[in-house]
Amino acid sequence: MRHCINCCIQLLAHDTHTQQVGCRGGPPPSLQACSACRGENKILFHVDSKQMNLLAVLEVRTEGNESWGGFLRFKKGKRCSLVFVLVIMTLVMASYILSGVHQELLIPSPFHYGGFPGNPGVMDGEGPGDLKEHHHQPSASNLSYMKDYPSIKLIINSITARIEFTTRQLPDLEDLKKQEVHMFSVIPRKFLPNSKSPCWYEEFAGRNTTDPYLTNSYVLYSRRFRSTFDTLRKAFWGHLSHTNGKHFRLRCLPHFYIIGQPKCGTTDLYDRLRLHPEVKFSAIKEPHWWTRKRFGIVRLRDGLRDRYPVEDYLDLFDLAAHQIHRGLQASSAREQSEMNRIIIGEASASTMWDNNAWTFFYENSTDGEPPFLIQDFIHAFQPHAKLIVMLRDPVERLYSDYLYFASSNKSADDFHEKVAEALQLFESCLLEGSLRACAYNNTLNNAMPVRLQVGLYAVYLMDWLSVFSKEQFLILRLEDHASNVKSTMHRVFEFLNLGPLSEKQEALMTKSPASNARRPEDRSLGPMWPVTQRLLQDFYEPFNARLVQVLADEAFAWKKT
């Protein structure tokens, strides 16, 4: 008995004791159609991924002193009809229970994978604590989604067949200058020789009553940064150099960048590394200037604001610049040595991958690929910059990202459906464009319900290696960092040529709890469904394989994490 039977029994106890019994989808001829059935309050079964509405409404309305006594006054024929319907219901329910169907009651309908438009243009925080596993019993939803695996696997196979890693065409320096005229007029091509960080002196034309940060966009657009700039403001006038009646301030760029990736432990690495006395970070942990703020982007979906000039970005390094300035001006060789060892860092996790703004500002695109990337401009000023990347299994990264950024209705079911939708969108893009064009496609990235593209590590790293040498990178894995923090930090110290720490300093740095770990309420949701994990592993496998090839390290295949 696999027919969908929707039955509605409505007992109306009015003064006239009118009774109606109706069925849709196979009622006995003697019964009248029930006009009260509207789909509310239905008891739902899912069988073979289809809803079955067995009993829609059992509703009794009374007026005055009427009661269930009205039921006893049914005519004999009507009572027999009611009993007949109830027997049919019981038999149907028993048949599905005995047949071993394991679908749940009252679960949402499965996600239906329909076609998406071929042209995506028509569519309008991470920590080692995340790696602790949760063991939950599989639910019926996971079992039902297993049936979707073959259809989604076809989508992944289509994507894999179209993956082609190509070498990008590098822009000329003159083309870069045309795109960022003001930036090239502010930042010099040569820096002070006795500073490890790229620094230079710049004339300050303001008076001693002038607020040097009055027009800084970070202050204007965010209240939470105002206390930070109050501190900068108080220290500013005591760290100027005076020559021939003119005032000069020391300007600096970072010596190294932690460039990615989100939800891969960059916050934890930042919090530990800033405890080293020779490391000074920007006043704000993630300025996102190279990728977003210089284009006037806070959130791309909110539109563009005024662009943050490069001076606003340089202001963030003033506290570090003050210490470097003090060392440059020091009379004792010891103080000079201490201050000259200071290096400046910046840790925006969007730097490696986020080039979403290019479509708004750059022309002369080739096949939908951006003509300029973030690293082109950083390299133009800092060809010797050091770059640190923290990565993690992209499958786990995506789930952590989802839990962190999703605002409501978070669940393994919801994540599975969003992953399926994102895969369809990505495939639609690849049907028309190159892998690089899709990775940097701002319309696609905004349309995808989960940030699938952030885990395409090989695509981004290869583009960075097109302008920087491999020796300028330190590539870390969150899994290694979580299992041995001390070892990871020693690798970072060696890479940045930092001095040794005392036992007390090292203990403080390595034994402190993980930063930005998964929130308790997110931990209670448990892991993603195994079928979702399998689909994502299939999707990311060719990208991980290429990453292994580039880095010559099998650990980045994440076969055993």
Side-chain angles (χ1 to χ4, degrees), residues 157-417:
N157 290 343
S158 173
I159 292 171
T160 302
R162 289 171 172 81
I163 293 176
E164 184 179 0
F165 297 96
T166 59
T167 304
R168 63 182 291 254
Q169 183 177 353
L170 299 181
D172 294 331
L173 179 61
E174 294 303 314
D175 291 332
L176 295 175
K177 290 180 178 179
K178 290 176 183 178
Q179 297 299 326
E180 295 288 353
V181 175
H182 179 68
M183 190 196 309
F184 278 89
S185 70
V186 172
I187 302 177
R189 297 300 305 278
K190 293 183 179 181
F191 305 110
L192 297 175
N194 48 352
S195 171
K196 293 180 69 174
S197 296
C199 299
W200 68 98
Y201 279 104
E202 172 187 286
E203 183 178 356
F204 180 73
R207 300 181 180 181
N208 57 7
T209 57
T210 302
D211 180 357
Y213 308 110
L214 181 64
T215 60
N216 189 288
S217 299
Y218 285 98
V219 183
L220 296 176
Y221 290 121
S222 182
R223 293 182 180 179
R224 66 190 179 99
F225 295 146
R226 292 179 183 176
S227 60
T228 299
F229 279 90
D230 284 342
T231 302
L232 292 173
R233 197 175 287 111
K234 292 176 182 178
F236 181 79
W237 290 99
H239 296 88
L240 291 179
S241 178
H242 309 281
T243 304
N244 298 325
K246 296 182 179 181
H247 308 299
F248 294 88
R249 65 190 297 186
L250 188 67
R251 289 292 209 179
C252 296
L253 283 168
H255 172 73
F256 71 94
Y257 294 86
I258 299 175
I259 63 174
Q261 288 287 69
K263 310 310 298 173
C264 289
T266 57
T267 296
D268 189 74
L269 178 62
Y270 162 85
D271 283 338
R272 296 181 194 279
L273 189 52
R274 69 193 181 107
L275 296 176
H276 197 291
E278 295 176 14
V279 176
K280 306 298 175 185
F281 278 98
S282 55
I284 299 169
K285 188 256 176 180
E286 291 189 285
H288 296 297
W289 184 80
W290 289 102
T291 55
R292 300 170 186 172
K293 301 299 192 297
R294 72 185 176 103
F295 299 108
I297 295 172
V298 177
R299 286 181 298 271
L300 195 58
R301 296 183 184 185
D302 296 340
L304 301 177
R305 299 183 179 181
D306 293 336
R307 300 180 70 174
Y308 289 29
V310 65
E311 291 88 346
D312 293 358
Y313 179 60
L314 296 174
D315 286 347
L316 302 180
F317 305 105
D318 273 3
L319 284 180
H322 295 338
Q323 296 189 45
I324 295 174
H325 167 74
R326 193 170 67 198
L328 295 173
Q329 302 295 320
S331 56
S332 69
R334 179 180 178 181
E335 187 175 8
Q336 286 183 5
S337 176
E338 289 179 357
M339 295 303 166
N340 289 344
R341 286 202 298 266
I342 290 176
I343 60 173
I344 300 175
E346 201 253 71
S348 296
S350 64
T351 307
M352 179 174 172
W353 65 276
D354 190 349
N355 281 272
N356 280 325
W358 76 267
T359 53
F360 299 101
F361 295 94
Y362 301 145
E363 299 178 354
N364 301 323
S365 169
T366 302
D367 297 327
E369 298 183 7
F372 310 104
L373 296 176
I374 302 305
Q375 52 267 38
D376 297 330
F377 293 96
I378 295 178
H379 183 267
F381 298 110
Q382 300 175 254
H384 305 295
K386 293 197 172 186
L387 307 162
I388 299 176
V389 182
M390 181 84 88
L391 302 177
R392 119 194 240 183
D393 181 350
V395 176
E396 296 300 328
R397 193 220 70 80
L398 186 64
Y399 189 53
S400 178
D401 197 75
Y402 162 79
L403 293 177
Y404 187 83
F405 288 106
S407 57
S408 60
N409 301 321
K410 290 184 283 190
S411 68
D413 288 352
D414 183 63
F415 179 65
H416 180 90
E417 294 181 0

Side-chain angles (χ1 to χ4, degrees), residues 2 38 61 63 92 101 212 340 352 393 427 444-445 511:
R2 295 274 175 165
R38 295 291 184 264
R61 299 176 183 166
E63 294 183 4
V92 171
V101 176
N340 289 344
M352 179 174 172
D393 181 350
E427 182 204 23
L444 171 66
N445 293 342
K511 294 181 181 180

